[in-house]
């Protein structure tokens, strides 16, 4: 399953009309991981006025979406944070926004913007990556075809993940799932059949966006 998630943990802090908003965004593979992260932030900021949270988990088998306003007016905090996650097209992500009240009320719209902006900034600071399934194959060829093979692989969006040198050269090539067959055919065409190809296995890959 292909999906977008976070590279790591991101934090952000905004001061709006004397209220301090601190955002935390993290990847989470399971609902339990998301809940543990929320509990950890709540414990760290046990003196805060609010610890608003939201998460979206989707691993292809399990799907869970939750948000918590934590005492803020209904729909003004947790739901906007969740919408930030959804609007970014993210999965397996948990976000907590802590608020220390500064004495000035922000109003419903002000709360929505404050929580949304803090969540967005925390997510940006965490970094977004794309996770997708890949497949691999080996291509064996004479040294005279070295540049032709590498150039063909790289221009097609594949990557050489391992190189072996003996009487012949063997590259282990990784491509996005569903693209290996096309690249293998292209290598055969470009080298006029002077390569030996062998399919390997599928794995997962994380690429920065």
């Amino acid at each position: 399953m292909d999906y977008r998630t976070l590279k790591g943990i991101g934090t952000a802090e905004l001061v709006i009309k004397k209220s301090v908003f601190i955002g935390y965004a993290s990847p989470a593979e399971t609902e339990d991981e998301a809940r543990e992260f929320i509990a950890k932030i709540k414990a760290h900021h046990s003196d805060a006025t609010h610890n608003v949270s939201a998460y979206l988990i989707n691993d292809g088998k399990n799907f869970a979406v939750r948000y918590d306003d934590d005492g803020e007016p209904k729909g003004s905090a947790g739901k906007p944070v969740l919408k930030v996650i959804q609007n970014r097209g993210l999965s397996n992500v948990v976000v907590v926004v802590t608020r220390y009240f500064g004495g000035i009320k922000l109003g419903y719209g002000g709360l929505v913007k404050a929580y949304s902006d803090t969540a967005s900034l925390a997510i940006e600071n965490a970094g977004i990556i794309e996770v997708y399934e890949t497949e691999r194959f080996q291509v064996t060829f004479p040294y005279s075809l070295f540049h032709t093979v590498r150039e063909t692989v790289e221009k097609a969006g594949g990557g050489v993940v391992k190189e072996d040198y003996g009487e012949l050269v063997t590259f282990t090539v990784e491509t996005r799932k569903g693209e290996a067959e096309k690249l293998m055919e292209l290598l055969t065409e470009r080298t006029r059949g002077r390569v030996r190809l062998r399919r390997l296995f599928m794995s997962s890959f994380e690429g920065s966006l």
Side-chain angles (χ1 to χ4, degrees), residues 6 17-18 30-31 35 46 85 99 127 177:
L6 300 183
K17 293 184 178 179
K18 297 185 179 181
T30 65
E31 193 169 7
R35 288 171 174 166
S46 59
I85 296 173
R99 181 190 185 189
K177 183 181 177 182

Side-chain angles (χ1 to χ4, degrees), residues 114-131:
Y115 280 106
S116 297
D117 288 352
T118 307
S120 292
L121 190 55
I123 285 172
E124 287 176 14
N125 291 338
I128 297 174
I129 58 173
E130 186 175 14
V131 178

